[in-house]
């Protein structure tokens, strides 16, 4: 798995580096990659990716009277929907739940997965490939297959409609993701450096803290982003294992805006809620684009 | 971090082995190996326990429940019924509608995603202009909450708030399928294209050059050189997406709630389990879905000879 932990960005750079011995080829690719056709292609991709976000942003800025005017650009932009949303009391608590539950799950998943991934990358122990295969199987597992039993068990153990009641299933499905990503990253760490540092007089702990940790952290961080996005996205567990705002997360809560507002069209509020939960993701994507791409493709493709 | 170093060759990554470099004699090695095994198990245990506790145990419990009449609304009538739940499901038209719906949505959306994802990957691979902006933009659909993208498309085609004229596509089976598929394709093509892009980058450029020298056209090079050489990446991307699409729930719940015969297997299971709290029947649906997923994975692994282990990097 040579290319495993290499991000898309880096893959591109690698491909170019490979070309650098072939200067003419490289120049030809440069030219090819910068022509108007490629620019149009690039712009088309951006439009494809961003257009639905633009129209939902537009809906969120429309007032009661304009929401059905069918125009892409709001004629009288207003923040009314956002105000209603925060005043309604139906959104703030789910938002807190979403943030809290996703963050706690992310921290737990990354810590537990780091242990496992370190063992997979560095140690020889029985059941290693079983662990990897099992994790892969769980990643492909249909969540609907376990919501019934969980619903029943959670009701009798008091986990129903609580944060831990969501954190546990989230964790289970986040772990395979984190283990695969982290194992791919950890395998790329030159652990020999640790021994080198010890030969140079560092204590084992110093060697770990000053040499290995800095090399491992970016991978850990990348997995954290991917796990967070995964938790942030969940709908099925949240709608099945909660009944009140006690633990219900934003995606599930939006489904109930629809049901509870019979007289006013909730489209505006849903759109506003959509924008609020999407903005942090867009910021994360902007800042950590390279890491996310690296993490998503880590381990997925053989070199 | 991995972005800073050149990875070692495929074979050498065979995990664990590379660490054995110590200087001691045989005795030292075995003690060390023993300690290593112990530490490895200890480190892996928490993850294994959590994953098993929340999947293996519930799926076993679901299997058990599926053999019972077990309805939370009529708890005094709960009784062992053998395979009656399965018989009821497999003879019901609602079930087969859901199987058809799920299959149509899976096959069409994954096929479209493959074509579109490949086009996206090719543009991203070659286009140097706006490179960073494209990469950022493409992660937006991936990062967006599925439910939110479902709303975005539902609102866009809705007769009142929509931008696409009159009529209600979500008011018919074909229209519903079309919108659901469109949403799925929009949301997940970027992920597919990133996997394909990584596969594309692993194709040896010198093959391209050789084909070019031999006078192959761009199309010939794509179909005869590039695609065959990234077969592994394509199969893995297809497998992941097919299994994911077959579990589809969020989009359908939001957009049609399963009306007009657009219900999927997951939706059917959810309705039985959570809405009607009929855990016996619902569990039987869950188990059948589980079997479908295993079947799809099996077809891919055997039929296409996809060695997930190899592709996933486990030599």
């Amino acid at each position: 798995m040579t290319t495993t932990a290499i991000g898309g960005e880096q893959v591109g750079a690698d491909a170019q580096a490979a070309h650098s011995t072939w200067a003419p080829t490289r120049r030809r690719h440069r030219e090819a990659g910068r022509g108007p056709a490629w620019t149009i292609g690039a712009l088309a991709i951006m439009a494809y990716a961003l257009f639905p976000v633009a129209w939902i942003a537009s809906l969120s800025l429309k007032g009661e009277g304009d929401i059905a005017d069918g125009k892409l650009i709001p004629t009288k932009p207003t923040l009314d929907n956002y105000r209603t949303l925060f005043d309604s009391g139906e959104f703030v608590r789910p938002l807190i739940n979403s943030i809290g539950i996703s963050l706690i799950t992310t921290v737990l998943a990354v810590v537990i997965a780091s242990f496992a991934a370190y063992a997979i990358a560095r140690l020889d122990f029985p059941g290693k490939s079983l662990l990897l295969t099992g994790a892969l199987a769980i990643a492909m597992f249909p969540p609907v297959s376990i919501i019934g039993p969980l619903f029943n068990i959670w009701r009798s153990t008091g986990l129903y409609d609580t944060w831990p009641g969501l954190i546990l299933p989230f964790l289970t499905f986040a772990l395979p993701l984190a283990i695969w990503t982290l194992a791919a990253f950890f395998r790329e760490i030159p652990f020999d450096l640790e021994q080198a540092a010890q030969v140079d007089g560092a204590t084992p702990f110093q060697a770990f803290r000053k040499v290995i940790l800095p090399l491992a952290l970016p991978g850990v961080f990348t997995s954290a982003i991917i796990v967070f996005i995964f938790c942030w996205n969940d709908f099925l567990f949240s709608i099945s294992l909660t009944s009140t705002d006690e633990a219900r997360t934003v995606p599930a809560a939006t489904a109930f805006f629809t049901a509870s507002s019979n007289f006013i069209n909730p489209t505006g509020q849903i759109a506003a809620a959509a924008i609020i939960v999407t903005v942090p993701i867009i910021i994360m994507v902007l800042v950590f684009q390279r890491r996310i791409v690296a993490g998503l493709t880590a381990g997925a493709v053989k070199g | 971090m991995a972005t800073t170093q050149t990875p070692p060759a495929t074979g050498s990554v065979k995990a664990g082995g590379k660490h054995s470099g110590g200087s001691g004699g045989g005795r030292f090695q075995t003690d060390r190996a023993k300690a290593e095994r112990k530490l490895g198990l200890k480190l892996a245990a928490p993850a294994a326990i959590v994953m098993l506790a929340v999947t293996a145990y519930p799926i076993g419990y679901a299997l058990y429940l599926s053999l019972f009449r077990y309805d939370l609304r009529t708890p005094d009538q709960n009784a062992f019924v053998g395979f009656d739940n399965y018989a009821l499901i497999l003879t019901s038209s609602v079930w087969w509608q859901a199987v058809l719906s799920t299959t149509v949505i899976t096959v069409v959306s994954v096929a479209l995603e493959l074509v579109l994802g490949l086009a996206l990957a090719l543009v991203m691979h070659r286009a140097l202009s706006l490179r960073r902006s494209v990469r950022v933009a493409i992660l937006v659909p991936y990062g967006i909450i599925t439910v939110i993208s479902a709303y975005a498309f539902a609102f866009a085609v809705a007769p009142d708030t929509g931008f696409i004229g009159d009529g209600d596509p979500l008011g018919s089976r074909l229209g519903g399928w079309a919108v659901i598929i469109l949403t799925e394709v929009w949301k997940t093509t970027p992920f597919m294209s990133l996997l394909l892009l990584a596969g594309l980058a692993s194709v040896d450029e010198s093959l391209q050059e050789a084909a070019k020298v031999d006078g192959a056209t761009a199309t010939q090079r794509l179909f005869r050189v590039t695609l065959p050489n990234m077969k592994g990446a394509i199969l893995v991307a297809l497998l992941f997406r097919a299994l994911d699409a077959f579990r589809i729930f969020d989009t359908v719940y939001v957009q049609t709630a399963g009306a007009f015969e657009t219900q999927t297997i997951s939706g059917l299971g959810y309705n039985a389990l959570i809405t009607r709290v009929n855990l016996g029947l619902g569990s039987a649906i869950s188990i059948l879905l589980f079997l479908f997923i295993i079947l799809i994975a099996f077809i891919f692994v055997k039929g296409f000879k996809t060695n997930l282990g190899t592709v996933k990097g486990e030599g």
Side-chain angles (χ1 to χ4, degrees), chain A residues 136-137 139-140 177 180 296-301, chain B residues 106 110 113 188 191-192 195 232-247 293 296-297 300 306 308 311-312:
Chain A
L136 191 61
M140 295 172 177
L177 209 62
W180 274 100
L296 284 179
T297 47
V301 179
Chain B
T106 303
V110 174
E113 281 162 26
T188 49
F191 175 68
M192 180 95 126
L195 289 186
I234 292 175
L235 283 175
V236 169
L238 281 181
L239 173 64
F240 281 4
R241 273 302 303 141
L243 292 176
D244 198 35
F246 208 80
R247 304 181 289 193
I293 295 283
I296 296 174
F300 265 92
T306 316
L308 268 184
V311 180
K312 268 301 204 175

Side-chain angles (χ1 to χ4, degrees), chain B residues 168-180 256 259-262:
Chain B
D168 183 9
L170 290 172
S172 72
R173 184 182 214 188
L174 280 181
W177 277 347
V179 178
I180 291 165
T256 66
F260 311 105
E261 299 174 342
T262 55

Side-chain angles (χ1 to χ4, degrees), chain A residues 165-302:
Chain A
L166 283 185
I167 290 172
L168 262 176
F170 282 16
L171 191 57
T172 306
F173 284 87
L175 274 176
L177 209 62
I179 291 175
W180 274 100
T181 316
L182 281 169
F185 278 113
F186 285 179
R187 283 199 187 103
E188 309 294 327
I189 296 178
F191 282 104
D192 295 345
L193 283 182
E194 194 179 29
Q195 278 155 9
Q198 288 186 41
V199 169
D200 287 348
T203 64
F205 182 68
Q206 277 176 331
F208 175 75
R209 194 169 61 88
K210 300 212 164 146
V211 179
I212 300 302
L213 205 58
L215 288 171
L217 273 182
V220 172
F221 189 69
T222 302
S223 317
I225 298 172
I226 291 171
V227 167
F228 183 85
I229 291 178
F230 169 82
C231 298
W232 196 242
N233 184 52
D234 169 81
F235 178 63
L236 183 59
F237 286 121
S238 177
I239 204 168
S240 306
L241 303 176
T242 67
S243 57
T244 66
D245 278 351
E246 201 57 42
R248 188 177 283 150
T249 59
V250 173
T254 54
F256 288 95
F257 294 170
T258 329
S260 63
S261 326
N262 285 321
F263 301 106
I264 321 158
N265 190 334
T267 302
Q269 275 103 283
I270 294 177
I275 293 303
I276 293 171
V277 293
T278 303
V279 166
I281 296 291
I282 292 185
I283 293 173
M284 257 160 57
V285 158
L286 269 173
V287 180
F288 305 117
Q289 172 262 133
R290 188 190 287 230
R291 291 239 168 97
I292 298 175
V293 173
L296 284 179
T297 47
V301 179
K302 194 177 92 162

Side-chain angles (χ1 to χ4, degrees), chain B residues 27-68:
Chain B
R27 185 60 201 272
F28 176 69
Q29 286 269 349
T30 37
D31 279 356
R32 188 174 168 149
K34 216 184 273 169
E36 192 175 307
R37 273 213 300 275
K38 239 170 135 183
L39 180 63
L41 285 174
K42 262 190 214 155
L43 288 173
I49 290 169
V50 174
M51 289 192 291
L52 280 178
V54 190
T55 51
Y57 175 64
I59 197 81
Y61 189 34
L63 193 61
Y64 170 81
L65 282 175
S66 73
L67 303 174
F68 283 79

